[in-house]
Amino acid sequence: MVDEQRELQMNVGKAMDVLKSDYPYFLKRSPDYSIYSEDMILTSSNTPLTTSLSSYKRTISLSRSMLNLLYDSEKSIIQNRMVYDSTRCQIRISFNAQLIPKNVLARRVYIDGISVYSIDMGPTVDKEGRKREGGGKIIEHKIEKMLVNGVGMKPPYLSLFRLEGRENGVLAGAGAWS
């Protein structure tokens, strides 16, 4: 039981480390998917957008490709702040991105949001003593809040390319959680 708890905590720590290193480089490289369960789902406003790791990978890849088509990944900046909620077994990430367009006549885009990653806190070993794949892995990525150029977006958030609005963004940080 103690070893199981320790392994679960190690997996949660690994998930936090990977997310911390992946967020700033979202436009430059694919994320590390080893921290996700095969059955993980992507949701916004409690509506499932993807229902498996493979569809999540395709969605992230498509989002990255579209953003890289329009924005300069070397000049754009993504920052984040992470909090682990041990009561809910969730990792909450408040992020903001300043996207610099490749077209010099286009305007900068500011995206602020909150993502919540739910962790599978089930045992890492099954009843027969075999290692279980899901323990300590992310089972849900929920996009809770999204602002583009300071204007609140409505779910589903995958329509990110409706980028009209004000020039300057507003942060959606811990104080904006509702």
Side-chain angles (χ1 to χ4, degrees):
M1 184 71 167
V2 172
D3 289 339
E4 235 176 88
Q5 279 295 96
R6 186 171 297 134
E7 185 172 354
L8 199 56
Q9 290 172 347
M10 294 288 286
N11 287 345
V12 170
K14 178 183 178 188
M16 291 177 69
D17 287 345
V18 166
L19 288 169
K20 185 177 182 179
S21 70
D22 279 349
Y23 259 80
Y25 299 102
F26 181 78
L27 297 174
K28 297 175 185 169
R29 67 174 191 233
S30 291
D32 178 352
Y33 293 107
S34 68
I35 60 172
Y36 298 95
S37 168
E38 288 294 324
D39 300 322
M40 74 88 56
I41 60 172
L42 172 64
T43 62
S44 71
S45 187
N46 297 323
T47 303
L49 302 173
T50 66
T51 56
S52 70
L53 180 57
S54 61
S55 61
Y56 181 74
K57 286 179 179 180
R58 283 191 303 273
T59 301
I60 295 298
S61 178
L62 179 63
S63 299
R64 289 182 63 249
S65 295
M66 292 300 293
L67 288 168
N68 280 313
L69 183 66
L70 301 170
Y71 301 101
D72 187 334
S73 63
E74 295 302 317
K75 293 179 182 174
S76 298
I77 300 169
I78 301 175
Q79 298 175 325
N80 67 84
R81 203 169 16 167
M82 179 185 306
V83 175
Y84 178 63
D85 182 346
S86 59
T87 306
R88 293 187 176 124
C89 303
Q90 294 177 333
I91 301 168
R92 299 179 69 86
I93 297 181
S94 172
F95 63 91
N96 62 339
Q98 178 182 358
L99 302 177
I100 310 298
K102 289 182 176 179
N103 179 348
V104 294
L105 299 176
R107 297 186 337 175
R108 292 179 183 199
V109 174
Y110 300 89
I111 300 175
D112 303 295
I114 298 172
S115 283
V116 179
Y117 296 87
S118 298
I119 308 290
D120 178 357
M121 296 307 283
T124 56
V125 178
D126 66 14
K127 292 178 183 176
E128 287 82 39
R130 294 182 304 239
K131 187 173 174 95
R132 194 173 75 83
E133 187 266 322
K137 294 206 173 199
I138 294 171
I139 55 174
E140 180 184 15
H141 174 188
K142 180 178 182 181
I143 304 169
E144 268 193 1
K145 194 171 285 251
M146 184 79 66
L147 299 172
V148 175
N149 292 338
V151 178
M153 300 279 295
K154 292 184 180 173
Y157 297 116
L158 294 181
S159 61
L160 271 178
F161 300 102
R162 190 196 72 184
L163 298 174
E164 70 277 357
R166 295 187 304 246
E167 175 93 14
N168 294 318
V170 177
L171 291 179
W177 293 349
S178 56

